[in-house]
Amino acid sequence: MSNTKYNLRTITEQDYDFIYQVKKDAYQKYVEINFGEWKDELQKEFFKAFMEKFKEGARIITFQGKDIGFYNGCQTEYTYEIGNICILPEYQNQGIGTAILQDVLDAHTDKEIHLQYFKQNPVGRLYERLGLERCGETEYHYQMRK
């Protein structure tokens, strides 16, 4: 486990507004670049479907007693997919996301790890530094695995 002291807690329905806002903060600029605009009602529909599908694997990230973001992932017998590591802007670049990612990688050494990210997001350098390799791409995303 890393030295950065964060915690993950189970989400509740009361967390949904917080998670939506963190997701919007993290992805709005990439959605606007790729699709022209952030349509709030459409994004809320996507978010509702996302929460139904991934709520079991979603966790609130806490740091120094404060909710600062969320994480989600899911596993099969042979793979583990990292869905999101979203952290409020004021807590970014403090090593928290790196610590979470490293802990996930360490906890799933018996599985192939998969993730994807918007092509414009500089986070790919972090993923490469932690040993993930690009294995594909879509029109909007790079796909990686380890």
Side-chain angles (χ1 to χ4, degrees), residues 52-141:
E52 283 304 309
K53 185 173 182 181
F54 295 109
K55 66 183 171 187
E56 294 303 316
R59 301 288 181 266
I60 296 293
I61 303 165
T62 64
F63 182 71
Q64 298 177 342
K66 180 175 169 130
D67 295 346
I68 65 158
F70 81 98
Y71 164 82
N72 75 287
C74 60
Q75 66 182 351
T76 67
E77 186 175 356
Y78 302 107
T79 65
Y80 187 86
E81 182 175 351
I82 298 169
N84 296 272
I85 301 174
C86 294
I87 297 174
L88 292 170
E90 59 267 32
Y91 290 93
Q92 294 174 5
N93 300 311
Q94 297 182 33
I96 300 165
T98 302
I100 292 167
L101 182 57
Q102 187 63 63
D103 290 344
V104 169
L105 294 173
D106 291 347
H108 298 283
T109 57
D110 61 329
K111 298 188 182 310
E112 185 170 274
I113 307 290
H114 295 257
L115 60 79
Q116 70 176 6
Y117 64 95
F118 279 109
K119 290 180 175 181
Q120 298 85 1
N121 191 333
V123 75
R125 291 189 302 271
L126 167 65
Y127 297 152
E128 289 172 354
R129 194 173 78 233
L130 293 178
L132 287 105
E133 297 176 347
R134 195 176 301 167
C135 62
E137 66 182 274
T138 68
E139 184 176 355
Y140 304 111
H141 298 93

Side-chain angles (χ1 to χ4, degrees), residues 34-55:
N34 288 295
F35 304 105
E37 66 181 307
W38 178 276
K39 296 179 181 176
D40 218 41
E41 288 308 310
L42 179 62
Q43 292 299 325
K44 286 181 179 178
E45 286 299 313
F46 290 152
F47 179 74
K48 182 179 176 183
F50 162 78
M51 288 308 299
E52 283 304 309
K53 185 173 182 181
F54 295 109
K55 66 183 171 187

Side-chain angles (χ1 to χ4, degrees), residues 20-37:
Y20 178 79
Q21 189 59 51
V22 172
K23 194 167 173 112
K24 182 177 180 179
D25 289 348
Y27 295 124
Q28 182 173 2
K29 63 184 163 194
Y30 305 118
V31 168
E32 289 173 348
I33 289 168
N34 288 295
F35 304 105
E37 66 181 307

